Amino acid sequence: MSDRYDILIVGGGAAGFTAGIYAARDRCRALLVERFSPGGQVLNCEHIENFPGFPDGVAGYTLGPLMQQQATAHGLELQMTEVHSVSLDGDDRVLETDSGTLRARCLIVASGSSITTLGIPGEAELAGKGVSHCASCDGAFFMDKPVVVVGGGDAALDEGLHLTHYASTVTIVHRRDALRGCASLSERARGNAKITFRWNSELRAIEGTSVVERVLVENVATGERAPLPASGVFLYPGLTANTGFLKALVPLDADGHVITDLSMRTSVPGVLAAGDVRHESARQLVSSAGDGATAALAAIRYLRTGRWDA
Ligand SMILES: Cc1cc2nc3c(=O)[nH]c(=O)nc-3n(C[C@H](O)[C@H](O)[C@H](O)COP(=O)(O)OP(=O)(O)OC[C@H]3O[C@@H](n4cnc5c(N)ncnc54)[C@H](O)[C@@H]3O)c2cc1C
């Protein structure tokens, strides 16, 4: 088989696999490229209760493989490799990957986002030794031990609530004086006896000899700093768009998200973006899946008509 496809998709999350389902069902030759685990961020979601079709909710590690299974059953090809750069060569959109060069007429960028790093002492040094981004993966290591969660959005609240099944206490450190998460998660977190909040506070260091032993917390309103004992630190301070590999190929907004129109088309013919990676995404599973479908339909239209504005 030649390595020229109709549609290349970068990213195996909800957006990428949904685009893949639509492309494959339309008999396009489509390949999805994923660098880590198929499923994307959903694999870090302990319990998803806002994705339609699952009245009792669904675990992310269940939903991720189901998305992959559904897309590949329809004929989507999957390659595990990392994309390093993208360029244009006539009608071709060209990807340079760890495993070589890939070409297609259309490219759907569905590379999502990664949890922003805090850049504080101890964060990198103690990663995997108490510092984590995944409560469902690592929570059980902290049975009856105190843990700290950083962030005030849905991810921090969801993961903090999950950690109450294991930890003795969960302290949520949030740099503002109010939560950003949805009302139902905020109410549950506030009503959980194991959870306490440190408002207007930021982590300045994560400390420990070989594993995490404590964190240094600063109250940004007063400037006061104090150590807080912790065996685990779960970081959800925000998200950074995975767009470094695009370089200057398409316009990005000030935060690095890809700018598209409502059909998910960028200003470069044949290049589309979908999901968390695009400007003004709702950054939810269901909106990412919707973006993926919209992007694939626009790509198919372009393949058929040759017109980018059709
Ligand atoms: C802890 C947590 C809990 C959440 N809970 C919920 C919830 O309850 N409900 C909800 O609706 N949403 C929730 N979200 C948000 C939801 O997970 C995201 O909105 C959604 O997964 C985004 O999907 P996506 O396909 O756009 O991107 P992603 O899922 O981020 O997938 C992008 C994929 O692209 C890959 N990739 C990136 N760069 C490259 C490259 N250069 N080469 C190859 N592959 C690459 C990545 O490895 C990744 O697998 C949660 C998020 C987190 C972190």
Side-chain angles (χ1 to χ4, degrees):
M1 279 273 226
S2 101
D3 59 0
R4 189 174 193 276
Y5 289 83
D6 297 318
I7 301 179
L8 286 169
I9 301 164
V10 181
F17 277 122
T18 306
I21 291 168
Y22 277 70
R25 287 188 73 240
D26 218 70
R27 304 289 178 258
C28 293
R29 186 162 181 243
L31 171 73
L32 185 148
V33 182
E34 167 57 49
R35 64 178 170 182
F36 294 146
S37 311
Q41 276 183 72
V42 77
L43 299 173
N44 289 333
C45 310
E46 171 59 23
H47 186 68
I48 298 153
E49 42 185 42
N50 55 3
F51 196 75
F54 298 94
D56 299 322
V58 58
Y61 51 78
T62 303
L63 188 58
L66 285 175
M67 296 190 303
Q68 174 187 350
Q69 199 182 318
Q70 186 173 357
T72 52
H74 283 293
L76 176 71
E77 294 177 43
L78 173 64
Q79 189 172 332
M80 299 302 297
T81 190
E82 176 155 12
V83 177
H84 293 292
S85 67
V86 183
S87 59
L88 307 178
D89 178 16
D91 264 358
D92 285 0
R93 280 73 199 104
V94 184
L95 299 186
E96 295 303 333
T97 78
D98 275 345
S99 320
T101 304
L102 296 164
R103 290 172 175 268
R105 273 195 68 200
C106 284
L107 166 67
I108 299 177
V109 178
S111 48
S113 38
S114 303
I115 293 174
T116 308
T117 52
L118 293 173
I120 57 173
E123 183 183 22
E125 296 84 342
L126 294 168
K129 297 169 185 166
V131 176
S132 173
H133 298 289
C134 181
S136 47
C137 321
D138 299 332
F141 295 126
F142 302 99
M143 191 62 77
D144 299 325
K145 293 179 178 163
V147 302
V148 164
V149 172
V150 175
D154 282 350
L157 296 175
D158 194 31
E159 299 287 273
L161 281 163
H162 179 64
L163 287 164
T164 60
H165 298 306
Y166 311 102
S168 54
T169 59
V170 176
T171 306
I172 296 184
V173 176
H174 184 36
R175 63 192 169 123
R176 303 189 199 287
D177 60 2
L179 295 171
R180 278 186 295 114
C182 74
S184 67
L185 283 175
S186 302
E187 283 161 16
R188 261 187 276 156
R190 285 175 181 280
N192 191 302
K194 279 194 179 177
I195 296 183
T196 54
F197 294 90
R198 290 283 183 102
W199 303 110
N200 298 309
S201 296
E202 292 183 8
L203 251 55
R204 292 292 174 235
I206 302 168
E207 297 171 343
T209 315
S210 56
V211 293
V212 171
E213 293 166 22
R214 74 194 82 77
V215 294
L216 185 62
V217 183
E218 178 174 321
N219 182 315
V220 290
T222 64
E224 194 183 323
R225 287 187 178 197
L228 177 68
S231 300
V233 186
F234 290 78
L235 303 174
Y236 309 99
L239 296 166
T240 303
N242 294 324
T243 46
F245 67 95
L246 289 172
K247 312 257 174 351
L249 183 83
V250 290
L252 306 178
D253 68 14
D255 292 326
H257 295 95
V258 182
I259 297 173
T260 69
D261 64 11
L262 290 177
S263 296
M264 308 300 140
R265 295 174 296 200
T266 70
S267 56
V268 178
V271 182
L272 307 98
D276 276 19
V277 77
R278 84 169 173 91
H279 176 61
E280 289 190 340
S281 159
R283 310 213 204 300
Q284 294 291 297
L285 272 172
V286 72
S287 58
S288 297
D291 281 4
T294 306
L297 291 171
I300 292 163
R301 227 166 27 240
Y302 178 59
L303 290 170
R304 286 198 182 134
T305 65
R307 286 184 47 207
W308 193 231
D309 58 356

